[in-house]
Amino acid sequence: MLGIHDLSLFIISGLLLNIAPGPDSLLIMTRSATQGWRAGSAAALGIGAGTCVHVLAAALGLSALLAASSWAFSVVKWLGAAYLVWIGLAMLISRRSEAANEGAGDAPPAPPPLPYRKIFSQGFWTNVLNPKVALFFLAFVPQFIAPEAPHKALAFIVLGAIFNFNGMLWCHLLAVSTALASRRLRPGALLARWLNRGIGALFLSFGLRLALSERP
């Protein structure tokens, strides 16, 4: 069909790649643990929308331009790194502000909930501004398309949709399971603040690692 081969191997490989931890999984778990599964699902949907952008870009050849141009890769890389660092710093600064209020005698507040629209946007930009995701699709998906396929772009989009669908299943499962675990543990406001502080530091480290990375 459309020149696609080894579809079962593609599905299994895609599931394993989606399960591998990274900024996307971390964002889903953070939002699910602090705001419930709906917030985690909002982040997952944003990530899925970002994946659609990468799939279409790769099918249309834009990712090939990103792979061939060191300048384009560097621009996207620095934008993505800056966004991850911004998320991390925003979480850390927010926690410091709350700590100052606590020191002034206020009761320790729980982290303020974010609107689902903003959570969706975080998931979207975290995924879209990662150039390695674009290069991943450019390198991984064509391995399952025959060289003589009559409609390679369409085959690419079909495989990308399958990959994204399976990824969304995993992401929503991660959101629900994290929310259930958090509900059972019932973390207090102090633990929730420290959780966000640790997640902010991890996002900061992800951003710095992306900024210092070289083209694969």
mmCIF file of all heavy atoms in Angstrom, residues 54-85:
data_model
loop_
_atom_site.group_PDB
_atom_site.id
_atom_site.type_symbol
_atom_site.label_atom_id
_atom_site.label_comp_id
_atom_site.label_asym_id
_atom_site.label_seq_id
_atom_site.Cartn_x
_atom_site.Cartn_y
_atom_site.Cartn_z
ATOM 1 N N HIS A 54 5.821 18.697 12.011
ATOM 2 C CA HIS A 54 7.070 18.063 11.584
ATOM 3 C C HIS A 54 6.825 17.069 10.452
ATOM 4 O O HIS A 54 7.627 16.977 9.508
ATOM 5 C CB HIS A 54 7.725 17.353 12.770
ATOM 6 C CG HIS A 54 8.414 18.274 13.715
ATOM 7 N ND1 HIS A 54 9.486 19.055 13.347
ATOM 8 C CD2 HIS A 54 8.192 18.536 15.034
ATOM 9 C CE1 HIS A 54 9.896 19.763 14.390
ATOM 10 N NE2 HIS A 54 9.120 19.467 15.419
ATOM 11 N N VAL A 55 5.730 16.302 10.544
ATOM 12 C CA VAL A 55 5.437 15.315 9.509
ATOM 13 C C VAL A 55 5.181 16.003 8.171
ATOM 14 O O VAL A 55 5.735 15.610 7.136
ATOM 15 C CB VAL A 55 4.221 14.461 9.922
ATOM 16 C CG1 VAL A 55 3.755 13.586 8.753
ATOM 17 C CG2 VAL A 55 4.571 13.570 11.106
ATOM 18 N N LEU A 56 4.352 17.035 8.181
ATOM 19 C CA LEU A 56 4.058 17.752 6.939
ATOM 20 C C LEU A 56 5.307 18.436 6.389
ATOM 21 O O LEU A 56 5.536 18.443 5.170
ATOM 22 C CB LEU A 56 2.955 18.779 7.192
ATOM 23 C CG LEU A 56 1.559 18.205 7.476
ATOM 24 C CD1 LEU A 56 0.590 19.326 7.819
ATOM 25 C CD2 LEU A 56 1.053 17.404 6.283
ATOM 26 N N ALA A 57 6.118 19.001 7.283
ATOM 27 C CA ALA A 57 7.349 19.663 6.832
ATOM 28 C C ALA A 57 8.295 18.668 6.187
ATOM 29 O O ALA A 57 8.914 18.952 5.150
ATOM 30 C CB ALA A 57 8.028 20.361 8.004
ATOM 31 N N ALA A 58 8.412 17.493 6.780
ATOM 32 C CA ALA A 58 9.298 16.480 6.214
ATOM 33 C C ALA A 58 8.756 15.970 4.879
ATOM 34 O O ALA A 58 9.510 15.756 3.929
ATOM 35 C CB ALA A 58 9.455 15.324 7.200
ATOM 36 N N ALA A 59 7.423 15.785 4.807
ATOM 37 C CA ALA A 59 6.828 15.299 3.561
ATOM 38 C C ALA A 59 6.990 16.305 2.436
ATOM 39 O O ALA A 59 7.146 15.932 1.266
ATOM 40 C CB ALA A 59 5.343 14.990 3.782
ATOM 41 N N LEU A 60 6.968 17.583 2.767
ATOM 42 C CA LEU A 60 7.087 18.636 1.756
ATOM 43 C C LEU A 60 8.535 19.022 1.462
ATOM 44 O O LEU A 60 8.794 19.863 0.609
ATOM 45 C CB LEU A 60 6.304 19.880 2.195
ATOM 46 C CG LEU A 60 4.791 19.697 2.319
ATOM 47 C CD1 LEU A 60 4.144 20.949 2.891
ATOM 48 C CD2 LEU A 60 4.182 19.349 0.964
ATOM 49 N N GLY A 61 9.487 18.423 2.192
ATOM 50 C CA GLY A 61 10.894 18.687 1.931
ATOM 51 C C GLY A 61 11.496 19.788 2.765
ATOM 52 O O GLY A 61 12.687 20.090 2.627
ATOM 53 N N LEU A 62 10.715 20.412 3.669
ATOM 54 C CA LEU A 62 11.277 21.489 4.482
ATOM 55 C C LEU A 62 12.303 20.966 5.475
ATOM 56 O O LEU A 62 13.277 21.651 5.788
ATOM 57 C CB LEU A 62 10.147 22.217 5.221
ATOM 58 C CG LEU A 62 9.108 22.900 4.331
ATOM 59 C CD1 LEU A 62 8.041 23.571 5.178
ATOM 60 C CD2 LEU A 62 9.775 23.933 3.431
ATOM 61 N N SER A 63 12.092 19.758 5.970
ATOM 62 C CA SER A 63 13.057 19.184 6.907
ATOM 63 C C SER A 63 14.381 18.879 6.209
ATOM 64 O O SER A 63 15.443 18.897 6.834
ATOM 65 C CB SER A 63 12.494 17.912 7.547
ATOM 66 O OG SER A 63 11.433 18.228 8.415
ATOM 67 N N ALA A 64 14.307 18.560 4.914
ATOM 68 C CA ALA A 64 15.546 18.351 4.163
ATOM 69 C C ALA A 64 16.361 19.638 4.114
ATOM 70 O O ALA A 64 17.592 19.622 4.208
ATOM 71 C CB ALA A 64 15.221 17.871 2.752
ATOM 72 N N LEU A 65 15.663 20.761 3.978
ATOM 73 C CA LEU A 65 16.352 22.053 4.008
ATOM 74 C C LEU A 65 16.992 22.287 5.368
ATOM 75 O O LEU A 65 18.124 22.773 5.463
ATOM 76 C CB LEU A 65 15.358 23.175 3.701
ATOM 77 C CG LEU A 65 15.877 24.613 3.827
ATOM 78 C CD1 LEU A 65 16.977 24.855 2.799
ATOM 79 C CD2 LEU A 65 14.743 25.609 3.630
ATOM 80 N N LEU A 66 16.286 21.915 6.424
ATOM 81 C CA LEU A 66 16.817 22.065 7.774
ATOM 82 C C LEU A 66 18.055 21.199 7.964
ATOM 83 O O LEU A 66 19.029 21.611 8.602
ATOM 84 C CB LEU A 66 15.742 21.684 8.801
ATOM 85 C CG LEU A 66 16.067 21.904 10.275
ATOM 86 C CD1 LEU A 66 16.193 23.386 10.583
ATOM 87 C CD2 LEU A 66 14.982 21.285 11.151
ATOM 88 N N ALA A 67 18.017 19.993 7.393
ATOM 89 C CA ALA A 67 19.162 19.084 7.525
ATOM 90 C C ALA A 67 20.359 19.568 6.715
ATOM 91 O O ALA A 67 21.509 19.381 7.106
ATOM 92 C CB ALA A 67 18.759 17.679 7.078
ATOM 93 N N ALA A 68 20.079 20.209 5.573
ATOM 94 C CA ALA A 68 21.176 20.627 4.690
ATOM 95 C C ALA A 68 21.778 21.965 5.092
ATOM 96 O O ALA A 68 22.943 22.224 4.802
ATOM 97 C CB ALA A 68 20.675 20.704 3.247
ATOM 98 N N SER A 69 21.011 22.795 5.755
ATOM 99 C CA SER A 69 21.483 24.143 6.079
ATOM 100 C C SER A 69 21.873 24.233 7.553
ATOM 101 O O SER A 69 21.024 24.115 8.429
ATOM 102 C CB SER A 69 20.384 25.166 5.765
ATOM 103 O OG SER A 69 20.730 26.434 6.264
ATOM 104 N N SER A 70 23.135 24.440 7.804
ATOM 105 C CA SER A 70 23.589 24.597 9.183
ATOM 106 C C SER A 70 23.008 25.863 9.804
ATOM 107 O O SER A 70 22.727 25.918 11.004
ATOM 108 C CB SER A 70 25.114 24.632 9.244
ATOM 109 O OG SER A 70 25.616 25.710 8.457
ATOM 110 N N TRP A 71 22.792 26.886 8.984
ATOM 111 C CA TRP A 71 22.225 28.141 9.484
ATOM 112 C C TRP A 71 20.789 27.941 9.950
ATOM 113 O O TRP A 71 20.415 28.374 11.035
ATOM 114 C CB TRP A 71 22.266 29.194 8.379
ATOM 115 C CG TRP A 71 21.699 30.522 8.799
ATOM 116 C CD1 TRP A 71 22.349 31.521 9.460
ATOM 117 C CD2 TRP A 71 20.359 30.975 8.595
ATOM 118 N NE1 TRP A 71 21.494 32.577 9.686
ATOM 119 C CE2 TRP A 71 20.277 32.272 9.168
ATOM 120 C CE3 TRP A 71 19.229 30.435 7.987
ATOM 121 C CZ2 TRP A 71 19.092 33.017 9.143
ATOM 122 C CZ3 TRP A 71 18.056 31.167 7.967
ATOM 123 C CH2 TRP A 71 17.999 32.440 8.540
ATOM 124 N N ALA A 72 19.972 27.253 9.125
ATOM 125 C CA ALA A 72 18.576 27.015 9.495
ATOM 126 C C ALA A 72 18.500 26.131 10.737
ATOM 127 O O ALA A 72 17.685 26.370 11.638
ATOM 128 C CB ALA A 72 17.832 26.365 8.334
ATOM 129 N N PHE A 73 19.346 25.106 10.792
ATOM 130 C CA PHE A 73 19.352 24.225 11.968
ATOM 131 C C PHE A 73 19.693 25.018 13.226
ATOM 132 O O PHE A 73 19.056 24.853 14.271
ATOM 133 C CB PHE A 73 20.359 23.095 11.763
ATOM 134 C CG PHE A 73 20.432 22.129 12.910
ATOM 135 C CD1 PHE A 73 19.604 21.019 12.958
ATOM 136 C CD2 PHE A 73 21.330 22.328 13.958
ATOM 137 C CE1 PHE A 73 19.662 20.128 14.021
ATOM 138 C CE2 PHE A 73 21.391 21.450 15.023
ATOM 139 C CZ PHE A 73 20.556 20.340 15.049
ATOM 140 N N SER A 74 20.689 25.883 13.135
ATOM 141 C CA SER A 74 21.116 26.657 14.304
ATOM 142 C C SER A 74 20.017 27.609 14.776
ATOM 143 O O SER A 74 19.790 27.766 15.981
ATOM 144 C CB SER A 74 22.384 27.451 13.980
ATOM 145 O OG SER A 74 23.455 26.582 13.689
ATOM 146 N N VAL A 75 19.308 28.233 13.828
ATOM 147 C CA VAL A 75 18.242 29.161 14.199
ATOM 148 C C VAL A 75 17.148 28.438 14.970
ATOM 149 O O VAL A 75 16.715 28.874 16.042
ATOM 150 C CB VAL A 75 17.657 29.846 12.946
ATOM 151 C CG1 VAL A 75 16.368 30.589 13.292
ATOM 152 C CG2 VAL A 75 18.666 30.819 12.358
ATOM 153 N N VAL A 76 16.684 27.304 14.425
ATOM 154 C CA VAL A 76 15.623 26.547 15.099
ATOM 155 C C VAL A 76 16.120 25.992 16.427
ATOM 156 O O VAL A 76 15.397 25.988 17.427
ATOM 157 C CB VAL A 76 15.113 25.412 14.179
ATOM 158 C CG1 VAL A 76 14.071 24.560 14.899
ATOM 159 C CG2 VAL A 76 14.525 25.988 12.898
ATOM 160 N N LYS A 77 17.370 25.543 16.444
ATOM 161 C CA LYS A 77 17.928 24.989 17.683
ATOM 162 C C LYS A 77 17.959 26.037 18.793
ATOM 163 O O LYS A 77 17.542 25.774 19.924
ATOM 164 C CB LYS A 77 19.352 24.469 17.427
ATOM 165 C CG LYS A 77 20.001 23.869 18.669
ATOM 166 C CD LYS A 77 21.456 23.502 18.417
ATOM 167 C CE LYS A 77 22.339 24.736 18.426
ATOM 168 N NZ LYS A 77 23.777 24.390 18.417
ATOM 169 N N TRP A 78 18.408 27.235 18.467
ATOM 170 C CA TRP A 78 18.497 28.285 19.490
ATOM 171 C C TRP A 78 17.126 28.757 19.928
ATOM 172 O O TRP A 78 16.915 29.084 21.107
ATOM 173 C CB TRP A 78 19.335 29.446 18.962
ATOM 174 C CG TRP A 78 20.807 29.161 18.986
ATOM 175 C CD1 TRP A 78 21.619 28.895 17.934
ATOM 176 C CD2 TRP A 78 21.633 29.076 20.154
ATOM 177 N NE1 TRP A 78 22.907 28.653 18.348
ATOM 178 C CE2 TRP A 78 22.950 28.763 19.705
ATOM 179 C CE3 TRP A 78 21.405 29.237 21.513
ATOM 180 C CZ2 TRP A 78 24.018 28.606 20.590
ATOM 181 C CZ3 TRP A 78 22.477 29.086 22.391
ATOM 182 C CH2 TRP A 78 23.750 28.773 21.929
ATOM 183 N N LEU A 79 16.171 28.800 19.007
ATOM 184 C CA LEU A 79 14.806 29.149 19.391
ATOM 185 C C LEU A 79 14.226 28.107 20.345
ATOM 186 O O LEU A 79 13.602 28.446 21.356
ATOM 187 C CB LEU A 79 13.921 29.273 18.148
ATOM 188 C CG LEU A 79 14.128 30.515 17.280
ATOM 189 C CD1 LEU A 79 13.291 30.418 16.007
ATOM 190 C CD2 LEU A 79 13.758 31.779 18.058
ATOM 191 N N GLY A 80 14.430 26.838 20.016
ATOM 192 C CA GLY A 80 13.931 25.774 20.878
ATOM 193 C C GLY A 80 14.605 25.783 22.240
ATOM 194 O O GLY A 80 13.943 25.609 23.275
ATOM 195 N N ALA A 81 15.921 25.971 22.251
ATOM 196 C CA ALA A 81 16.640 26.009 23.526
ATOM 197 C C ALA A 81 16.174 27.183 24.378
ATOM 198 O O ALA A 81 15.964 27.048 25.588
ATOM 199 C CB ALA A 81 18.147 26.115 23.259
ATOM 200 N N ALA A 82 15.979 28.340 23.738
ATOM 201 C CA ALA A 82 15.521 29.518 24.476
ATOM 202 C C ALA A 82 14.135 29.289 25.067
ATOM 203 O O ALA A 82 13.850 29.703 26.201
ATOM 204 C CB ALA A 82 15.510 30.739 23.555
ATOM 205 N N TYR A 83 13.271 28.604 24.321
ATOM 206 C CA TYR A 83 11.914 28.348 24.824
ATOM 207 C C TYR A 83 11.949 27.401 26.027
ATOM 208 O O TYR A 83 11.258 27.624 27.027
ATOM 209 C CB TYR A 83 11.049 27.767 23.713
ATOM 210 C CG TYR A 83 9.597 27.629 24.112
ATOM 211 C CD1 TYR A 83 8.788 28.755 24.239
ATOM 212 C CD2 TYR A 83 9.044 26.380 24.376
ATOM 213 C CE1 TYR A 83 7.460 28.633 24.616
ATOM 214 C CE2 TYR A 83 7.719 26.250 24.749
ATOM 215 C CZ TYR A 83 6.934 27.389 24.862
ATOM 216 O OH TYR A 83 5.622 27.250 25.253
ATOM 217 N N LEU A 84 12.749 26.349 25.951
ATOM 218 C CA LEU A 84 12.851 25.417 27.079
ATOM 219 C C LEU A 84 13.442 26.111 28.308
ATOM 220 O O LEU A 84 12.983 25.898 29.434
ATOM 221 C CB LEU A 84 13.704 24.214 26.678
ATOM 222 C CG LEU A 84 13.078 23.238 25.678
ATOM 223 C CD1 LEU A 84 14.099 22.181 25.268
ATOM 224 C CD2 LEU A 84 11.840 22.577 26.257
ATOM 225 N N VAL A 85 14.470 26.927 28.087
ATOM 226 C CA VAL A 85 15.071 27.661 29.207
ATOM 227 C C VAL A 85 14.052 28.627 29.804
ATOM 228 O O VAL A 85 13.966 28.779 31.026
ATOM 229 C CB VAL A 85 16.336 28.415 28.733
ATOM 230 C CG1 VAL A 85 16.810 29.404 29.791
ATOM 231 C CG2 VAL A 85 17.449 27.421 28.405
#
